[in-house]
Structures are given as structure tokens and as C-alpha cells.
Amino acid sequence: MIGAGLFPLVIAGCGTRGSKRASVSSNEDLLLEHGFADAGAHEIIDRLEALPVAERPQDLIASVTPTSLQLSDDSGREAELPLPEDQFYLSVAPFVETTHECAFHSLTTCRGELRSREVAVRVVDSGSGEVLEEGTRTSHDNGFLGLWLPRGITTELTCTLEDYTGAASISTQAEDDLTCLTSLQLT
């Protein structure tokens, strides 16, 4: 039986009930093997993001889109779990000197410049002016800060590290909005 919140990826084409069942079993095996059998997308994202880089699974690719967490492994197994309907996940890698281009965050492969650094973060809803988050956060070992934001809004994000500050406008409205922000340069 598939756990709550799990939607298996189905490959279009001819098949039998037996092959579809094998696909579901394969998805369950992927989640079980990585210790995620009873976890939803929110919990898996938080757990993977918090792991030290050296402890992240080498045979797992975990990508965050605006609507789901997509998992795959070296043996071709895949699983897709929906994000909470009212939440949007944004992973931010503020930088001073070096960055990389990215649109959808990879929890297992993306790396940012500022690893394990204290960064002041302020997120303000552009429409209402409400402060959604404000305080100091420590970036993960991969150099990213994970933010769970309300879905369907535009925000202003400001990050400060010592005397360096950067800001960006963030949208959580469309299915192609970024889940990996690597262009926030601190100057």
C-alpha cells in the first residue's frame, strides 16, 4: 500500500496490471531503502537539506519542483511526492564570489559558496507588507538556506552576512517558479 501523499510516476505506454504493480513496489522500495517509507515531501526535504554533504546519499537524486519532490536512484527507481498545497519550498544559496545556475533545487548535488555560515534573513510579503520570516539562520553544509513560504504570493527576500547584503524578489505562484535561488549576490 502506498503511504499518504505518495503519487508514483507512471510511464505512458502499453503495460499490464502486473507491470504497474511492479512500478509501485519499486517506488516503495526506493523510499524504504532511503529511510523515507513513512515520510512526506516536507519531512524528506528538511532531512536531506540538513544532512552534512559527506552523509548525503550518493545513489539518490532528489529534486524539488514548485509542486513536488522527485526522487530517483541509480537502479532507475522513481518516486514523486506532492508538496503541501499551501507551501512552497525555496532553497537559497546567497553568495559573495561564486555561484552556479540552477532552477529546481537538487537536495543531493547543489552546492553553494557560504557553507555553515550565519546569515540574517528577512522575508516580506510584497502584497501585504507582512514579515513572514526574520532572524538569523545558519546555512546548511551545502551552502543553502531552506525556506518554506506560503504558496501564491510574491515576497522580497533580503540576506545579510556581516557587511554584505543582497535582495531578491521571489514568486511562489507559478509552476515554473524557481525552487533554487543561486543569483542572490551579497555585496
Side-chain angles (χ1 to χ4, degrees), residues 28-71:
E28 291 172 349
D29 290 347
L30 170 67
L31 296 171
L32 182 63
E33 181 178 313
H34 291 283
F36 303 136
D38 295 323
H42 192 294
E43 181 182 349
I44 294 170
I45 290 168
D46 288 348
R47 285 171 49 190
L48 285 173
E49 199 81 278
L51 275 177
V53 169
E55 295 176 23
R56 295 187 185 202
Q58 298 297 307
D59 64 338
L60 180 71
I61 297 295
S63 297
V64 182
T65 73
T67 58
S68 67
L69 170 63
Q70 299 176 355
L71 303 165

Side-chain angles (χ1 to χ4, degrees), residues 77-168:
R77 297 177 297 187
E78 298 178 334
E80 182 173 6
L81 291 86
L83 294 184
E85 289 184 20
D86 61 341
Q87 294 183 316
F88 184 95
Y89 185 73
L90 177 68
S91 199
V92 181
F95 74 99
V96 175
E97 294 180 12
T98 59
T99 191
H100 67 282
E101 285 189 35
C102 191
F104 299 130
H105 186 55
S106 171
L107 294 157
T108 51
T109 61
C110 278
R111 303 289 181 268
E113 174 188 350
L114 304 175
R115 298 174 57 187
S116 304
R117 301 289 301 268
E118 286 192 7
V119 178
V121 175
R122 180 176 167 88
V123 181
V124 178
D125 182 319
S126 299
S128 69
E130 176 187 359
V131 177
L132 302 173
E133 182 164 338
E134 186 169 37
T136 301
R137 308 256 322 256
T138 301
S139 61
H140 297 292
D141 187 43
N142 65 350
F144 282 84
L145 301 163
L147 302 172
W148 285 99
L149 302 170
R151 188 174 297 281
I153 64 171
T154 301
T155 69
E156 290 300 316
L157 167 66
T158 304
C159 292
T160 303
L161 172 73
E162 299 164 358
D163 294 332
Y164 300 97
T165 297

